């Protein structure tokens, strides 16, 4: 299944989601925006932490350390901006309740190298692609104004990240092997999305 919305904004790279988000999700996200905002802050925090974790694990991949350092900075900047939005609304961040969608994908990461490195890079690419899709949908559902522009800007940024992670996977493991494994992960991701009810969170 495909739709224009399930594709990366830029059309760059092969990370094309197979299951578009239920159209009812965006309305729910706008209605319960405070909950989405807190969940979103935790997503950005985990994206920043994951970039540093990948840098720590795979410094041998050419270009990866500098790119992950830049990514961690960018995701931390997203986190700071989302925290400002929470504060402006008088909301507390609260504890991270976990992300069963992302956990379901992490469970697919194989244990032994070099498969593990390939899987970690590709799972990150898939999560970025889904984030990009959801943030773009949220932006379109919000009324015109700064918040709508903020989410459109973030969607663009996450789009760049899905392409970055795929490029790193392809350069370290070969384009063909990366595409083959991505294919399997995208199928699994679509099944996870179909299996989860829509919730006021970024991924569900
Ligand atoms: Fe981000
Ligand atoms: Fe990102």
């Amino acid at each position: 299944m495909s739709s224009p919305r399930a594709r990366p904004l830029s059309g760059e790279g092969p990370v094309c989601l197979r299951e578009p988000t239920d159209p009812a999700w965006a309305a729910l996200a706008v209605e319960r925006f405070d909950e989405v905002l807190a969940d979103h802050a935790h997503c950005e925090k985990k994206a920043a932490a994951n970039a540093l974790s990948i840098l720590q694990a795979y410094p041998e991949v050419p270009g990866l350390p500098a790119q992950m350092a830049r990514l961690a900075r960018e995701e931390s900047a997203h986190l700071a901006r989302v925290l400002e939005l929470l504060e402006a609304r008088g909301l507390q961040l609260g504890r991270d309740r976990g992300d069963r969608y992302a956990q379901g994908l992490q469970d697919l990461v194989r244990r032994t190298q070099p498969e593990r490195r390939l899987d970690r890079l590709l799972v990150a690419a898939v999560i970025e692609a889904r984030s990009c899709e959801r943030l773009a949908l949220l932006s379109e559902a919000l009324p015109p104004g700064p918040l709508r522009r903020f989410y459109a800007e973030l969607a663009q940024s996450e789009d760049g990240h899905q392409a970055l992670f795929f490029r790193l996977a392809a350069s370290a493991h070969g384009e063909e092997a990366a595409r083959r494994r991505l294919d399997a992960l995208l199928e699994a991701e679509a099944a996870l999305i179909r299996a989860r009810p829509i919730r006021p969170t970024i991924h569900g």
Side-chain angles (χ1 to χ4, degrees):
M1 197 171 184
S2 71
S3 85
R5 180 53 56 223
R7 295 185 175 279
L9 290 176
S10 61
E12 191 192 339
V15 190
C16 294
L17 300 171
R18 309 249 162 109
E19 184 72 24
T21 285
D22 184 328
W25 174 81
L28 178 70
V30 170
E31 191 187 308
R32 294 171 68 178
F33 186 68
D34 288 355
E35 289 163 79
V36 170
L37 207 50
D39 178 73
H40 182 191
H42 285 299
C43 288
E44 298 291 359
K45 172 202 70 188
K46 283 178 275 202
N50 188 53
L52 292 181
S53 170
I54 285 183
L55 191 167
Q56 162 78 8
Y58 311 118
E60 73 281 5
V61 177
L64 183 147
Q67 281 166 326
M68 287 300 105
R70 280 197 292 274
L71 180 61
R73 187 172 59 193
E74 204 177 315
E75 302 290 22
S76 298
H78 293 172
L79 170 61
R81 290 174 73 187
V82 177
L83 290 174
E84 281 167 19
L85 289 172
L86 276 173
E87 203 184 329
R89 292 168 165 253
L91 298 168
Q92 297 282 338
L93 176 60
R95 296 196 69 78
D96 190 344
R97 295 203 186 138
D99 182 337
R100 287 177 61 188
Y101 159 83
Q103 195 51 56
L105 284 173
Q106 300 298 350
D107 290 346
L108 300 171
V109 172
R110 290 168 289 181
R111 305 250 166 240
T112 52
Q113 300 293 3
E115 292 85 1
R116 184 172 182 77
R117 183 178 68 186
L118 175 64
D119 289 358
R120 284 195 68 187
L121 292 170
L122 290 177
V123 161
V126 171
I127 293 174
E128 292 283 2
R130 182 61 71 183
S131 302
C132 168
E133 185 222 25
R134 293 268 169 112
L135 298 181
L137 287 171
L138 183 54
S139 162
E140 286 163 15
L142 284 164
L147 208 49
R148 182 187 175 115
R149 286 196 297 276
F150 172 65
Y151 275 96
E153 187 195 317
L154 253 54
Q156 202 72 55
S157 171
E158 310 309 356
D159 186 33
H161 301 163
Q162 59 80 19
L164 166 65
F165 277 115
F166 182 80
R167 278 199 307 276
L168 286 168
S171 82
H173 295 266
E175 176 99 17
E176 207 191 308
R179 280 180 185 264
R180 217 178 313 119
R181 183 59 178 156
L182 176 65
D183 194 55
L185 291 172
L186 285 170
E187 277 306 307
E189 199 263 357
L192 277 170
I193 288 290
R194 280 193 293 269
R196 304 274 306 141
I198 58 162
R199 295 175 61 233
T201 57
I202 297 296
H203 299 126

